Amino acid sequence: MSSRAVIEEISADEILDSRGNPTVEVSVTLSSGVTVNASVPSGASTGEFEAVELRDRDPKRYGGKGVLCAVKHVNEEVAWALTGMRVDDQRLIDEKLIETDGSESKKVLGANAILGASLACAKAGAAESGLPLFRYLGGANAHVLPVPMFNVLNGGKHGQGGPDVQEFKLVPLGAPTFREALRYGAETYHALGAVLVDAGLSTNVGDEGGYVPQLPSNEAALELILRAIERAGYRPGEDIAIGIDPAANSFYEDGRYCLVRDSKTLTTDEMIAFWADWVNRYPLVSLEDPLADGDWAGFATLTRELGSRVQIVGDDLFVTNRKFLQRGIDEHCCNSILIKLNQIGTVTETLDTAQLALSAGYSCLVSHRSGETEDTSIADLAVALGCGQIKSGAPARGERVAKYNRLLAIERALGEDARFAGRDAFRHLRRS
Ligand code: PGA
Ligand code: ZN
């Protein structure tokens, strides 16, 4: 083991993500001989201020979605900048990447090129020091397994023909361990499949592995999920609660929220009242992007009205960016932040944002993207942060399950030291 290892070679390749779109894979080789890969996910319902994912825009390849330019940036500028640097100084590596890019939005090299390099270096640093990634990033005290949020019913941009609400998630916060939480989730996912078959509805799945039934209303999804929880033998709210991500940007048009499934067009105040009604009548513990991302005043009102009873998560609103999070803290918008590495583009900036959130009393929900790869780093990141929450889609589809299986391995490796976050992950549910 030597902490003196330097980056000897860094290169990239164009691979496919889970939707069949190109994405970046980066390989780092150290002077010690250690070689690791990291790959980058890609969103569909993206926030306006996310770091820029560079695409070739060559209509003759992958409909313009090729990433050969980002690959080239890794093979050239990034390799020139990082070769010879010590691998164990992640902050310096990330600063070098940011400086080499030189733009606020990482549009020059591409956030996909930059994150691939940053993450591969972190993984190489971990491998070099003989530590699992969660311990390398999180230190000696990293031991909390997150509550998984299983996106079992998909709509919006991830499930055409489904509800307007993008994600309906099972939150097995009453489970005693992560392993049991995974079982609660998988059993209930299958029970939901049976409920849909009984109702004569489709069990086709969307981008994140959840079913995409055609329903008469958004609320009908909640009723089906409650039925599935009970059918699987669990108590709604006690064993398994519900989380939703409406991704409200995707149905916000000309200043109004257009819920096609409900034949409703709502103002911000009416949209807030709509969610308040759901919070009153269903065991909802987490509400993500309930309003469009420019609506800071609306978020402040909603947080004032509902923030003591439900977790309100800013995803497109904060885009894992300290600057936007700080505004949210100052203006009392949300009480939780979604953490996505590729929204900001480097590992240390992600850690900084999460740190700021936790120190301000916000919870952190570590997240996959709708376009994923087999890379399981987010599982380690969730344990490293000790934040107690992760979402990685349904307990189905290889790229989703890979993260949950990685968490099983981490829980096994921690043995007696492992602690499952359970209800404590949600501030408003803590029994003091
Ligand atoms: P995306 O969706 O990866 O398509 O952005 C995930 C989310 O909105 O949380
Ligand atoms: Zn979201």
Side-chain angles (χ1 to χ4, degrees):
M1 186 171 92
S2 151
S3 58
R4 301 263 160 129
V6 297
I7 297 165
E8 199 163 85
E9 215 179 293
I10 179 158
S11 62
D13 195 5
E14 181 185 63
I15 63 166
L16 289 188
D17 73 12
S18 56
R19 272 194 283 247
N21 293 323
T23 190
V24 177
E25 179 180 62
V26 174
S27 169
V28 166
T29 300
L30 303 180
S31 50
S32 60
V34 162
T35 297
V36 300
N37 291 332
S39 51
V40 177
S42 173
S45 67
T46 48
E48 188 185 344
F49 297 107
E50 291 194 17
V52 173
E53 178 183 76
L54 205 60
R55 300 241 174 229
D56 299 340
R57 297 171 186 234
D58 171 359
K60 293 199 282 303
R61 294 189 73 252
Y62 291 115
K65 290 189 170 156
V67 292
L68 293 179
C69 52
V71 164
K72 187 164 182 279
H73 291 320
V74 175
N75 290 337
E76 296 181 357
E77 291 96 323
V78 169
W80 299 330
L82 299 190
T83 303
M85 285 184 79
R86 276 177 60 156
V87 74
D88 61 356
D89 197 341
Q90 185 70 35
R91 189 165 291 277
L92 202 61
I93 289 169
D94 289 346
E95 279 167 7
K96 190 82 179 181
L97 287 165
I98 292 164
E99 181 194 307
T100 305
D101 175 85
S103 70
E104 173 93 14
S105 61
K106 301 190 174 69
K107 64 178 182 200
V108 177
L109 298 178
N112 39 358
I114 293 173
L115 178 63
S118 175
L119 195 54
C121 287
K123 290 170 89 172
E128 180 62 24
S129 36
L131 295 171
L133 186 61
F134 75 89
R135 180 135 341 272
Y136 180 72
L137 294 178
N141 200 31
H143 71 295
V144 178
L145 272 295
V147 175
M149 293 199 191
F150 300 110
N151 183 9
V152 293
L153 204 151
N154 295 182
K157 289 192 172 160
H158 301 164
Q160 294 300 325
D164 304 286
V165 170
Q166 179 178 281
E167 303 173 12
F168 289 88
K169 295 172 286 187
L170 302 172
V171 187
L173 43 69
T177 61
F178 177 80
R179 181 174 296 271
E180 285 293 90
L182 187 57
R183 182 172 68 84
Y184 286 21
E187 290 173 358
T188 307
Y189 174 71
H190 291 126
L192 178 60
V195 165
L196 293 172
V197 169
D198 285 356
L201 292 161
S202 161
T203 53
N204 288 342
V205 300
D207 290 354
E208 297 187 353
Y211 302 113
V212 188
Q214 290 207 351
L215 302 175
S217 68
N218 285 286
E219 191 172 333
L222 290 173
E223 293 295 335
L224 290 167
I225 287 171
L226 285 181
R227 226 184 293 161
I229 293 172
E230 282 168 353
R231 184 172 176 142
Y234 297 106
R235 296 164 299 170
E238 285 299 310
D239 300 317
I240 304 180
I242 299 174
I244 59 169
D245 177 5
N249 275 346
S250 58
F251 52 81
Y252 188 64
E253 276 166 42
D254 303 328
R256 292 280 189 279
Y257 296 90
C258 306
L259 296 173
V260 174
R261 290 283 156 203
D262 295 318
S263 307
K264 278 185 178 150
T265 301
L266 305 177
T267 63
T268 296
D269 285 345
E270 288 166 343
M271 190 76 254
I272 293 172
F274 183 95
W275 300 131
D277 175 49
W278 278 22
V279 169
N280 287 336
R281 291 186 297 113
Y282 292 97
L284 281 182
V285 290
S286 187
L287 177 53
E288 178 180 328
D289 282 355
L291 299 172
D293 65 14
D295 198 351
W296 292 86
F299 266 101
T301 305
L302 184 138
T303 304
R304 201 167 54 243
E305 289 184 11
L306 297 178
S308 63
R309 288 191 290 144
V310 68
Q311 171 172 279
I312 299 163
V313 189
D315 170 11
D316 293 343
L317 184 71
F318 295 145
V319 290
T320 317
N321 185 319
R322 277 174 67 94
K323 232 176 47 194
F324 295 105
L325 174 61
Q326 188 60 57
R327 177 169 178 191
I329 294 168
D330 294 343
E331 297 181 16
H332 305 288
C333 299
C334 303
N335 51 28
S336 181
I337 180 174
L338 204 75
I339 298 291
K340 289 169 167 168
L341 285 154
N342 80 327
Q343 278 182 330
I344 188 71
T346 63
V347 171
T348 45
E349 286 172 291
T350 305
L351 295 175
D352 285 346
T353 301
Q355 214 57 59
L356 174 63
L358 294 171
S359 65
Y362 280 50
S363 55
C364 293
L365 166 51
V366 172
S367 173
H368 66 156
R369 299 306 304 244
S370 50
E372 265 295 337
T373 71
E374 316 85 291
D375 192 294
T376 58
S377 303
I378 59 163
D380 287 74
L381 178 65
V383 178
L385 291 174
C387 61
Q389 302 182 40
I390 191 169
K391 67 167 188 176
S392 177
R397 294 186 56 140
E399 76 282 0
R400 312 292 146 190
V401 166
K403 280 67 162 175
Y404 298 132
N405 285 341
R406 171 67 188 147
L407 285 162
L408 283 179
I410 294 174
E411 188 176 52
R412 197 165 55 237
L414 284 169
E416 301 245 306
D417 292 338
R419 187 173 74 75
F420 179 60
R423 300 180 81 82
D424 287 349
F426 302 92
R427 283 188 143 248
H428 68 283
L429 297 179
R430 273 182 214 159
R431 298 170 177 133
S432 49

